[in-house]
C-alpha cells in the first residue's frame, strides 16, 4: 500500500481484523481456542492467544501484499534455526491441522492476509532500562549464535527487498526529506549520502548469509536477576545480507538510553565476536553501519509521521530517542569509536592512512617505549623507526599501509603471517593449550617430524620456548654428560640471553670478557686458510681450559657464524673442531637457531659445513613467530640427562606451539622451500657479487642459501670496515622500501636473511635498492 514514491511499506497501515473473526479461524484451522489480546505491532497485527490450560501463542497477520514466498522463507528460517540450535529460545512455528504453516484470508482492500501462529517465548524485552555489560555481551553472543544456526540456510526468497535493510538507503533517501527540523534533516541526509558513497560499495565484498536483521531492545527477551537472555523474537525482517549488519543493528538498537552507548555497543560486539569472530573489514565498518541504521530509522519514522493519517503519535518520542543515540555515536567519532572497539575486541593494530598523523603516532609510541620499556632498548633505524602493523609473505606494512620488502626477518620463516600457520595457531588456541604433563598427540607428531629430519642418532627431543632456552638446556646436558665445565665458542659468538648462555656469547664483550670457563676460538675467516690452519688455535683453547681445570664440556657453534660476520668456513673446519672436542671428552652442540629448517639450502647448517653434532638446538624460525625452542639429541644423552635432573618447561611443547611448528614443516615440504632457498639464494649471491665488482665499498659477499652478508668497506684493497657507511646504506634501503640488517664485530656487514618464500623477483628488488643506496651522491 504505497502512498507515494517511497518504497517498501514505509507508510502502510497495519491490518486490523476483528478479534472474534480471528478466534474462529484459529479454532478451525489450528484447533486452538482461548482468549485473544491484540498487542500491536509495527506493520503486523499481533495477537496473544492464551488457552484455558494457560499455554500462550502469538498469532501474526501481515500486510495484504506480503508475498507468500517471503513469509514461507521467514518461517523456514525459524524452523531451520530451531532445528540447528534447539536451545536458542526462538519461537516455534505452530502448524495448522493440515500441516501447513500459513493460512490465507482474503483482505478487505484486495489481496490476502497471511496468518501464522507461533509458540510463546518466555521473558520480557530487554527494553531501555539498565543493561549491565554481561547482558550486553550476551545480546551479541545470542545474535552470533542465531547466525551460526542460520549459516547453512537457503531459500530463494531470502534476497527480497526489505525496508530496514541498510543497503536500501539510496532508495529510502526520500524519507529523510520528511524530517521537519531543517538542521536535523541536512545532517541525516549527509550521513545517508556519505554512507552511500563510501560504505555501501564495500558491503558487497563481505561475507553474507541469512540474518535476523532486527535485534532491537524489543525483540530480544530476558528474564531473571541478574538478567539473562531467554530468546529472540520477530523474524519479520529476516533476509540475506552482510553478516556484520546483524551486529550493527544490535549495536545501534539495544544500547540507546545508556550512559555511554558506544562503549555498550562495543560490549555487544565483543559478545558477538567471541562466538563468531569478525573478519577483514567488518570491525572497521561497524560504527558507520550502526550510524546508518539509526539515520535510516529516523528517516522512516519521520516519513511515517508525515504521511500516516493518524499523525506522529508515539513516533515523535521514538525519533528523539534515535536522534539522541545518533548524537552519542557522533560525539565519539569514527576514529575513537574504532579505537574503543579495538581495545574491547583486542583487534590488531590497523593500517591508518594519513601521512603526518601516523608519523606523530609513531613518535608517540617511541617515546612511550622509552618510558615504559628498558630505556634504550635497541630499535632498528632510530632515525626513521619502522612502525609495523601488518605482515604478509615477504612484505611488512607500516602504519601508512606502505609495503616494505622484508629481507631481514628469519623468524617468519615461511613468510609473514602464513595462513596455514596462523590457522593452526588460532584453531589450537580455541581447542586446547596446556603442558606436556598431559598426553596429547601434537607434541609427539612434531617430535617425530623433527627426528625424521635429523641425521644419525639425533632422535630424542625436548621442547622449550626460545633459542636461548634451547642453548641453556643443551649446555646443561653437555656439562652433565661430560662432568666438565669448559666451553669453546667462536670469538664473535652470540647464543642467547640466559646467564649461562650470556657467558658463551662473547660477541660484544671485547676485552671485558671475563669467563675463564669459556675459551674463544678464532672464527674461520674464509680468507683462503684451510681447516688445518685453525687446528692449532682449537688445541690452544682446549689446553687452556684443561690446564685451568675446567675440562671440555662442549663447543657450541652457530652454523651461519652470523655474529662473527656471516663467514664462510673452509671445508673440514667444523669436523676438525668437533673431533678435537670429542677427543677431549666434550659434546658438540650445533646452534641451528639461525641456520635450521632449510635456510642454507640444506636442512641443517651443520650439514652444509659437513659435520654432525651431538646436540642440535632450534628456535626462531621453528614456528614462524610463535615462541618455540627445541633440543634434539641422541637417546643416550637424553636418558642420562633425564636420570640426573628433573627438567620441565611449562610452555615447552604446548599444543599451540607444536601445531605451529608442524604447520611450518608442512609448508616447507609442500612448497619445496629448502630447495628454493638454495636456488634463489644462489641467484641472489651471484647478483650481489656482480654488484660488488662495481662498487669499491663492497668487500666480500658471503654466506649461503638465504643467509647472505655483504661486507661494506672503505675500499676493497684495504677492506677497512665502514660501519657508518653500512648504517647509511641500510637506512637508504629502508627509505626505499627494503629492509636489511647489520651484523658482524665491526657492524659493517649487511645481513640478508629473508623469509624462505623469497623469489627471484624479490631478489631483484633488493639488488636494485642496494645498487641505488651505494650510488654516490
Ligand atoms: N642462537 C643464535 C645463533 C641466535 O642468533 C639467537 C638469537 N639471535 C639465539 C641463539 C637466541 O635466541 P632467542 O632470542 O630466541 O632466545
Amino acid at each position: 500500500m504505497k502512498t507515494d514514491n517511497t518504497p517498501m511499506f514505509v507508510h502502510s497501515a497495519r491490518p486490523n481484523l476483528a478479534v472474534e473473526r480471528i478466534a474462529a479461524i484459529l479454532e478451525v484451522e489450528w484447533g486452538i481456542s482461548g482468549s485473544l489480546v491484540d498487542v500491536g505491532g509495527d506493520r503486523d497485527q499481533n495477537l496473544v492467544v492464551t488457552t484455558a490450560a494457560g499455554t500462550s501463542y502469538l498469532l501474526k497477520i501481515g500486510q495484504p501484499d506480503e508475498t507468500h514466498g517471503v513469509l514461507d522463507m521467514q518461517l523456514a528460517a525459524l524452523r531451520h534455526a530451531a532445528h540447528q540450535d534447539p536451545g536458542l529460545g526462538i519461537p516455534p512455528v505452530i502448524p495448522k491441522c493440515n500441516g501447513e504453516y500459513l493460512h490465507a484470508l482474503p483482505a478487505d482492500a484486495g489481496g490476502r492476509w497471511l496468518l501464522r501462529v507461533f509458540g510463546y517465548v518466555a521473558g520480557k524485552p530487554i527494553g531501555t532500562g539498565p543493561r549491565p555489560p554481561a547482558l550486553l555481551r550476551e545480546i551479541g553472543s545470542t545474535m552470533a549464535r542465531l547466525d551460526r544456526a542460520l549459516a547453512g540456510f537457503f531459500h530463494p526468497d531470502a534476497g527480497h527487498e526489505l525496508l530496514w535493510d541498510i543497503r536500501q538507503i539510496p532508495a529510502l533517501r526520500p524519507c529523510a526529506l520528511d524530517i521537519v527540523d531543517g538542521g536535523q534533516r541536512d545532517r541525516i541526509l549527509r550521513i545517508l549520502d556519505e554512507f552511500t558513497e563510501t560504505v555501501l560499495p564495500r558491503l558487497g565484498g563481505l561475507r553474507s548469509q541469512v540474518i535476523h536483521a532486527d535485534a532491537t531492545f524489543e525483540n530480544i527477551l530476558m528474564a531473571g536477576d541478574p538478567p539473562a537472555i531467554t530468546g529472540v523474537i520477530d523474524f519479520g525482517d529476516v533476509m540475506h545480507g552482510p553478516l556484520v549488519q546483524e551486529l550493527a543493528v544490535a549495536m545501534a538498537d539495544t544500547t540507546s538510553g545508556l550512559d555511554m552507548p558506544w562503549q555498550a555497543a562495543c560490549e555487544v560486539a565483543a559478545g558477538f565476536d567471541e562466538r563468531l569472530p569478525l573478519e577483514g573489514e567488518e570491525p572497521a565498518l561497524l560504527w558507520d553501519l550502526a550510524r546508518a541504521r539509526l539515520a535510516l530509522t529516523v528517516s522512516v519514522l519521520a516519513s511515517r509521521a508525515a504521511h500516516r493519517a493518524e499523525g506522529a503519535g508515539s513516533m515523535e518520542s521514538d525519533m528523539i530517542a534515535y536522534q539522541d543515540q545518533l548524537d552519542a555515536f557522533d560525539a565519539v567519532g569514527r576514529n575513537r569509536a574504532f579505537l574503543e572497539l579495538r581495545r574491547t575486541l583486542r583487534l590488531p593494530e590497523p593500517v591508518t592512512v594519513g601521512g603526518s598523523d601516523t608519523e606523530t603516532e609513531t613518535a608517540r609510541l617511541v617515546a612511550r617505549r622509552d618510558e615504559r620499556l628498558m630505556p634504550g632498548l635497541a630499535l632498528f633505524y632510530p632515525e626513521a623507526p619502522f612502525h609495523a602493523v601488518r605482515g604478509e609473505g615477504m612484505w611488512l606494512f607500516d602504519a601508512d599501509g606502505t609495503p616494505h620488502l622484508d629481507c631481514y626477518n628469519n623468524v617468519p620463516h615461511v613468510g609473514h603471517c602464513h595462513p596455514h600457520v596462523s590457522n593452526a595457531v588460532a584453531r589450537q588456541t580455541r581447542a586446547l593449550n596446556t603442558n606436556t604433563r598431559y598426553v596429547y598427540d601434537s607434541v609427539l607428531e612434531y617430535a617425530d617430524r623433527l627426528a625424521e629430519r635429523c641425521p644419525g642418532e639425533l632422535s630424542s627431543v625436548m621442547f622449550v620456548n626460545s633459542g636461548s632456552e634451547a642453548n641453556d638446556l643443551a649446555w646443561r646436558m653437555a656439562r652433565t654428560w661430560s662432568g666438565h665445565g669448559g666451553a669453546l665458542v667462536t670469538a664473535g659468538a652470540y647464543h642467547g640471553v640466559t646467564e649461562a648462555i650470556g657467558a658463551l656469547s662473547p660477541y660484544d664483550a671485547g676485552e671485558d670478557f671475563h669467563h675463564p670457563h669459556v675459551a674463544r676460538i678464532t672464527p674461520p675467516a674464509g680468507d683462503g686458510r684451510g681447516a688445518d690452519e685453525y687446528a692449532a688455535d682449537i688445541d690452544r683453547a682446549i689446553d687452556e681450559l684443561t690446564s685451568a681445570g675446567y675440562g671440555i664440556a662442549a663447543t657450541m657453534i652457530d652454523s651461519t657464524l652470523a655474529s662473527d660476520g656471516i663467514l664462510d668456513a673452509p671445508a673440514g673446519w667444523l669436523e676438525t673442531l668437533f673431533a678435537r672436542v670429542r677427543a677431549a671428552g666434550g659434546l658438540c652442540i650445533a646452534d641451528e637457531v639461525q641456520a635450521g629448517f632449510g635456510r642454507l639450502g640444506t636442512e641443517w647448517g651443520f650439514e652444509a659445513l659437513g659435520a654432525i653434532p651431538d646436540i642440535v638446538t632450534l628456535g626462531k624460525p621453528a614456528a614462524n613467530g610463535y615462541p618455540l625452542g627445541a633440543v634434539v639429541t641422541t637417546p643416550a644423552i637424553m636418558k642420562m640427562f633425564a636420570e640426573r635432573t628433573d627438567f620441565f618447561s611449562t610452555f615447552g611443547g604446548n599444543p599451540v606451539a607444536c601445531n605451529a611448528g608442524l604447520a611450518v614443516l608442512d609448508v616447507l615440504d609442500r612448497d619445496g622451500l629448502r630447495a628454493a632457498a638454495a636456488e634463489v639464494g644462489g641467484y641472489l649471491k651471484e647478483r650481489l657479487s656482480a654488484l660488488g665488482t662495481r662498487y669499491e665499498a663492497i668487500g666480500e659477499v658471503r654466506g649461503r642459501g638465504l643467509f647472505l652478508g655483504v661486507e661494506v668497506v672503505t675500499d676493497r684493497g684495504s677492506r677497512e670496515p665502514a660501519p657508518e657507511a653500512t648504517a647509511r646504506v641500510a637506512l637508504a634501503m629502508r627509505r626505499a622500501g627494503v629492509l636489511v640488517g647489520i651484523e658482524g664485530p665491526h657492524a659493517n656487514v649487511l645481513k640478508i636473511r629473508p623469509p624462505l618464500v623469497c623469489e627471484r623477483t624479490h631478489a631483484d628488488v633488493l639488488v636494485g635498492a642496494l645498487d641505488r643506496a651505494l650510488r654516490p651522491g
Side-chain angles (χ1 to χ4, degrees), residues 173-404:
R173 188 183 187 277
C175 293
L177 299 173
D178 290 327
I179 299 172
V180 179
D181 177 328
Q184 195 61 256
R185 184 171 57 237
D186 290 348
R187 172 216 193 183
I188 298 284
L189 284 170
R190 250 196 328 274
I191 294 173
L192 297 179
D193 291 344
E194 192 193 348
F195 177 84
T196 304
E197 210 170 294
T198 63
V199 181
L200 201 52
R202 290 149 81 183
L203 297 186
L206 303 184
R207 59 184 164 158
S208 296
Q209 63 164 76
V210 170
I211 57 176
H212 177 275
D214 199 18
T216 67
F217 59 83
E218 288 156 328
N219 291 341
I220 298 177
L221 307 183
M222 66 174 187
D225 186 19
I229 305 291
T230 54
V232 182
I233 55 170
D234 193 349
F235 280 59
D237 285 354
V238 168
M239 59 162 195
H240 187 274
L243 180 64
V244 68
Q245 185 170 334
E246 184 86 283
L247 175 56
V249 171
M251 289 168 79
D253 286 7
T254 63
T255 58
S256 62
L258 292 171
D259 267 355
M260 290 189 284
W262 181 254
Q263 215 168 58
C266 289
E267 294 291 345
V268 176
F272 189 94
D273 185 60
E274 277 180 19
R275 219 177 254 274
L276 195 46
L278 295 173
E279 290 177 3
E281 269 206 295
E282 289 169 347
L285 294 177
L286 275 169
W287 182 79
D288 286 286
L289 289 168
R291 215 162 139 256
R293 162 78 175 191
L294 293 169
L296 176 63
T297 307
V298 171
S299 308
V300 170
L301 291 181
S303 194
R304 278 192 181 153
H307 292 263
R308 268 193 185 165
E310 62 266 37
S314 70
M315 277 186 262
E316 201 77 67
S317 60
D318 284 353
M319 219 150 75
I320 290 169
Y322 285 111
Q323 279 168 10
D324 287 350
Q325 175 82 337
L326 201 49
D327 288 346
F329 283 11
D330 273 354
V332 179
R334 186 180 286 114
N335 290 345
R336 264 213 302 137
F338 184 65
L339 199 66
E340 183 90 37
L341 187 68
R342 223 189 101 200
R343 287 211 185 103
T344 316
L345 270 58
R346 284 279 149 250
L347 297 172
E349 192 175 358
V351 168
T352 47
V353 182
S356 60
D357 273 3
T358 43
E359 265 173 43
T360 319
E361 179 55 18
T362 303
R364 244 199 307 269
L365 292 181
V366 171
R368 272 176 61 198
R369 197 175 181 275
D370 276 344
E371 216 174 273
R372 187 62 72 194
L373 306 182
M374 192 171 75
L377 180 66
L379 189 64
F380 291 138
Y381 317 110
E383 304 86 344
F386 188 86
H387 182 173
V389 298
R390 194 165 78 78
E392 188 180 329
M394 280 293 292
W395 302 93
L396 262 185
F397 295 79
D398 67 12
D400 274 333
T402 311
H404 287 64

Side-chain angles (χ1 to χ4, degrees), residues 408 410-411 465-471 493-498 501 505 556-563 591-595 617-621 627-629 707 743 751 753:
Y408 174 76
N410 61 339
V411 173
N465 315 286
S466 66
S468 299
E469 278 184 66
N471 284 335
Y494 178 78
H495 293 293
V497 294
T498 67
I501 297 304
S505 301
M556 184 178 282
I557 299 295
D558 161 16
S559 319
T560 64
L561 294 162
S563 48
D591 175 345
E592 292 282 328
V593 169
Q594 295 267 3
T617 60
L618 306 174
K620 284 190 182 216
L628 168 60
F707 200 124
E743 188 55 282
K751 179 155 65 170
R753 215 181 34 168

Side-chain angles (χ1 to χ4, degrees), residues 527-581:
D527 53 4
R529 281 191 283 165
D532 289 348
E533 294 179 58
Y534 292 94
D537 182 55
I538 296 167
D539 290 338
R540 186 253 328 143
I542 291 175
D543 286 347
E544 203 177 289
L545 292 172
T546 313
S547 41
Y550 293 108
I552 308 301
T555 184
M556 184 178 282
I557 299 295
D558 161 16
S559 319
T560 64
L561 294 162
S563 48
D564 283 295
I566 309 172
L567 303 176
D568 291 329
W573 173 76
L574 194 65
E575 212 179 355
T576 305
L577 171 64
F578 282 6
R580 282 171 151 75
V581 166

Side-chain angles (χ1 to χ4, degrees), residues 45-173:
Q45 185 177 3
N46 294 311
L47 298 107
V48 172
V49 184
T50 311
T51 65
T55 312
S56 296
Y57 298 95
L58 182 79
L59 188 145
K60 226 174 185 8
I61 308 167
Q63 298 286 321
D65 38 5
E66 270 180 321
T67 64
H68 188 281
V70 171
L71 284 185
D72 184 62
M73 183 273 295
Q74 290 170 7
L75 301 186
L78 267 163
R79 298 199 309 275
H80 180 94
H83 180 73
Q84 290 300 318
D85 188 346
L88 248 174
I90 52 179
V93 192
I94 310 296
K96 298 200 295 178
C97 303
N98 68 2
E100 290 173 6
Y101 291 99
L102 285 167
H103 182 73
L105 206 64
D108 297 343
R112 75 252 180 288
W113 287 301
L114 290 166
L115 281 61
R116 57 270 190 195
V117 174
F118 303 95
Y120 213 67
V121 180
K124 64 174 180 35
I126 56 164
T128 53
R131 278 145 286 168
L135 184 72
L136 293 164
R137 280 195 297 277
E138 206 189 339
I139 292 171
S141 170
T142 303
M143 294 318 293
R145 189 171 158 191
L146 176 55
D147 288 336
R148 286 180 70 144
L150 285 171
F153 177 70
F154 174 79
H155 192 288
D157 286 286
H160 73 122
E161 284 187 353
L162 181 86
L163 169 64
W164 297 105
D165 183 353
I166 299 175
R167 293 169 302 172
Q168 298 296 342
I169 279 180
L172 289 159
R173 188 183 187 277

Side-chain angles (χ1 to χ4, degrees), residues 569-644:
W573 173 76
L574 194 65
E575 212 179 355
T576 305
L577 171 64
F578 282 6
R580 282 171 151 75
V581 166
R582 283 182 181 132
L587 291 180
C588 301
I589 303 167
D591 175 345
E592 292 282 328
V593 169
Q594 295 267 3
F597 298 103
R599 174 156 296 276
L600 306 190
T602 50
E603 186 64 28
W604 308 113
F606 57 78
E607 288 169 324
L609 298 188
I612 295 181
D614 305 300
I615 306 179
V616 181
T617 60
L618 306 174
K620 284 190 182 216
N624 222 45
Y626 193 90
L628 168 60
V631 169
V632 188
T633 187
T634 66
I637 294 174
M638 190 67 87
K639 184 165 176 287
M640 168 283 310
F641 187 67
E643 282 164 3
R644 299 201 206 162

